[in-house]
Structure formats: C-alpha cells, structure tokens
Amino acid sequence: MTVDLNCDLGEGFPFDAELIPLATSVNVACGLHAGGWREMERAVALALEAGVAIGAHPGYPDREGFGRRELNLPAPDVYALVLYQLGALEGMVRARGGRLAHVKPHGALYNRAARDLEVARAIARAVADFDADLRLYGLSGSALLDAAAERGLRAVSEVFADRGYRADGTLVPRGEPGALVESPLEAAARVQDMLRFGQVRSVQGPWLRVHAQTVCVHGDGQEALRALCGLRAALEDQGVVLRAP
C-alpha cells in the first residue's frame, strides 16, 4: 500500500524545517493568504534539500482571515488569482533548479472548489493553462477532481488526518464541534481506516466512502510536528509505503 503524506507550509509558522523531512510532498503558500517571498524561498530551499515534491498552495487574498473566509469571487477572478500565484512560486522553484509537481488550493477556496463546479473549473483551467503536467489535489469525491478530469489533468484524491468530516463528505467548518482531530493516535487510526477500508466516520455518525491517494496534515497548529511524527511512524509500522504521487 502506497500513499503520499502532504503538509501545508510556508505560512509563517515555526516548524517548517522540522516538518518538511517528515512529508513526501509539501504545499507552499504563495503569499496572498499567508507567508511571503521570504517564507516561500525558505520553504522551497528546504523542500529541495529534503527531496520532497513541491506544490503550490494558492488561496484567497485574505491575510487577516488566513484565507479561511469565503470571498465569493467570480470564476474569472479565481482563474487569474490562481494563475498569478502559480507564477510566483514557480519562479522561486525554477531559480533553485527544481520544478513544481502539483497544485492544492487553500482554505475557503479549496472548500468552495469542492462543491462549486464553476469555480473548480476555473482552478483546473488555470492549472492546465499554466502547466498541464501538474497534478491537482482535491478533496475526495469533490467537484475539483471532476474538473481536473475534464481538463485532462492528473487528479489526486485527498483525505485529512486532522479534520472532521460531515455526512455529505465536506469538512466540518473550523470553529464547529468536531472540526479538528487533535489526538495523533486518533488521526493515525482514522487514516488507517481510510487506507485499508476506504471509509471514515462522519461527525454525525455514518461512515463515508473516501479514496485516499494523499493524506494532509496541517502545518499551522501547535501540535503539527507531533501529529506528523506520530502519523508517519504509525503508517510505516503498518507497512505503508510513503511516496509522492
């Protein structure tokens, strides 16, 4: 059994250097929802040194809300917004002799693309127009994966180790009960269910079908390092091969 272990980085939090070697791919913030040119360059350098795959993590231009507030931008603006951020990060990567591997939208933009096919298509079009060889990460069962397939992109189905799921397959909004899975042991057990049985229990109780090609652990929480260490160790103990797509 093989899976990718990805982490969101370059957002100005203190543990990037420790987190990067534990992941197999990283999603680097492109400077609009968090981070900036210094954080981007540092994350890229660390990722290239560690030999992990580098992805762009474009989000809404909402630093005050960390990109987690819905801005309701029209689809043409989303297209330009994503294209702009891909160019910024790709320049950092190419300057150091690397190349981008994938794109994963951030926060509210990611959640909107999971349910809004028009916005999902705008993101997929931006990725395809920029570089059709890039993979596009999206929530398992989401509209973003459908839009990627329409564009002929390689879609990667994502699940979350540290987030709760609602019965409709979407993530529980932050701030609501059950949104965060804070125990590394619980997170590891959930991921093992998703990998072995293709299912995860929702906060309402019913089991959901999921397809786990990549597993995300967020890098912005206080327990991020402990969570990623624990999850990686648990998966390796189960014989899971950790590798970027």
Side-chain angles (χ1 to χ4, degrees), residues 38-104:
R38 292 186 183 91
E39 291 84 359
M40 291 164 67
E41 185 179 36
R42 180 171 182 267
V44 166
L46 289 168
L48 289 173
E49 182 181 352
V52 303
I54 301 173
H57 199 37
Y60 282 135
D62 175 30
R63 298 180 73 86
E64 289 185 2
F66 198 68
R68 289 175 175 159
R69 301 183 296 190
E70 179 51 63
L71 299 190
N72 232 4
L73 296 180
D77 285 359
V78 170
Y79 169 83
L81 183 72
V82 171
L83 201 58
Y84 172 83
Q85 293 177 79
L86 295 185
L89 184 64
E90 201 251 0
M92 297 280 189
V93 177
R94 283 186 60 187
R96 289 185 171 271
R99 63 170 299 168
L100 283 180
H102 67 273
V103 179
K104 174 188 165 181

Side-chain angles (χ1 to χ4, degrees), residues 24-232:
T24 52
S25 64
V26 294
N27 319 303
V28 179
C30 300
L32 292 190
H33 76 270
W37 66 90
R38 292 186 183 91
E39 291 84 359
M40 291 164 67
E41 185 179 36
R42 180 171 182 267
V44 166
L46 289 168
L48 289 173
E49 182 181 352
V52 303
I54 301 173
H57 199 37
Y60 282 135
D62 175 30
R63 298 180 73 86
E64 289 185 2
F66 198 68
R68 289 175 175 159
R69 301 183 296 190
E70 179 51 63
L71 299 190
N72 232 4
L73 296 180
D77 285 359
V78 170
Y79 169 83
L81 183 72
V82 171
L83 201 58
Y84 172 83
Q85 293 177 79
L86 295 185
L89 184 64
E90 201 251 0
M92 297 280 189
V93 177
R94 283 186 60 187
R96 289 185 171 271
R99 63 170 299 168
L100 283 180
H102 67 273
V103 179
K104 174 188 165 181
H106 166 80
L109 182 59
Y110 180 95
N111 292 330
R112 185 178 174 194
R115 64 181 188 276
D116 185 332
L117 185 57
E118 183 181 11
V119 167
R121 284 171 169 160
I123 294 171
R125 182 164 69 92
V127 174
D129 288 351
F130 186 80
D131 183 351
D133 286 334
L134 292 172
R135 292 173 172 82
L136 183 54
Y137 285 24
L139 184 67
S140 176
S142 70
L144 187 56
L145 298 183
D146 293 337
E150 288 178 359
R151 282 278 165 183
L153 296 169
R154 289 173 290 182
V156 180
S157 180
E158 182 175 44
V159 298
F160 287 79
D162 54 5
R163 293 296 307 278
Y165 284 79
R166 297 192 292 196
D168 63 359
T170 59
L171 300 178
V172 178
R174 289 174 182 266
E176 292 187 9
L180 300 178
V181 179
E182 297 180 348
S183 164
L185 290 177
E186 181 183 355
R190 288 163 62 86
V191 171
Q192 288 167 11
D193 279 340
M194 289 189 272
L195 291 175
R196 293 172 61 198
F197 306 116
Q199 62 183 17
V200 63
R201 189 181 290 280
S202 70
V203 293
Q204 291 96 340
W207 289 89
L208 302 170
R209 299 298 301 173
V210 292
H211 182 38
Q213 293 177 300
T214 185
V215 180
C216 175
V217 175
H218 289 91
D220 60 310
Q222 289 185 338
E223 299 297 321
L225 185 58
R226 187 166 69 94
L228 190 53
C229 278
L231 179 59
R232 181 171 184 122

